[in-house]
Amino acid sequence: YFPKQDVRFIAINDEYDSDNPKSYDQEIIMQFKSLINDRYVKDIYVKRKQIAESKTSEGQFIGFIAPYGYKIVKKDKKRTLEIDDYAANIVKRIFTEIASGKTRQEVANGLNEDKIIPPVIYMRMTPSKDKKYYYDWSDKIVYRIKRCFSWKNF
């Protein structure tokens, strides 16, 4: 493949150089190693996906940052999500105002006018601190909250 593509492939650990005629004996070994490594990567991907599905089906949270309106709680060595009362009230307000016909920008402006703590500052005050997020309420934050949550959760 490499010579046809005018590409030189060098595997230092295997002492293989596709441009060196002495390496032709190792070419089939390199092909097998490549096949085995490719299979290994796919196998790891499947196993990680199965573990993630298993944990989420058991109610565990596998993310790094809890969505706004929730907090990560460790119970019996398992990470789960619980409703964060303070942030949940803000999420309820957002849904109520959107349902009343306000635009996302109008909702964000109202939150800023009322000096509601924006997500990044609130996150720094909670256990999932020092995560980068938006520094002010914006229509994008309101959109993400509206899109990601159901009114029924609160």
Side-chain angles (χ1 to χ4, degrees), residues 15 18 22 53 62 65 72 132 150 153:
E15 298 177 13
S18 64
K22 293 180 182 178
E53 288 173 357
I62 59 172
I65 301 171
I72 298 172
K132 291 186 179 183
S150 166
N153 292 353

Side-chain angles (χ1 to χ4, degrees), residues 138-153:
S138 70
D139 67 318
K140 292 180 180 90
I141 297 172
V142 173
Y143 170 77
R144 288 181 68 185
I145 290 172
K146 180 180 157 249
R147 187 188 77 187
C148 294
F149 296 105
S150 166
W151 177 256
K152 296 174 201 169
N153 292 353

Side-chain angles (χ1 to χ4, degrees), residues 12 18 30 33 43 48-50 56 66 79 88 96 100 105 120 123 128 131 134 140 147 150 153:
I12 296 171
S18 64
M30 291 303 297
K33 280 188 174 185
D43 187 47
R48 289 189 69 194
K49 189 174 179 181
Q50 288 172 342
T56 54
R79 299 171 72 235
T96 302
S100 73
Q105 190 60 57
V120 71
M123 285 173 58
S128 48
K131 305 294 183 204
Y134 299 102
K140 292 180 180 90
R147 187 188 77 187
S150 166
N153 292 353

Side-chain angles (χ1 to χ4, degrees), residues 82-95:
E82 283 187 2
I83 292 177
D84 179 341
D85 293 329
Y86 172 81
N89 287 326
I90 307 303
V91 173
K92 286 177 188 176
R93 173 180 169 171
I94 290 169
F95 274 87

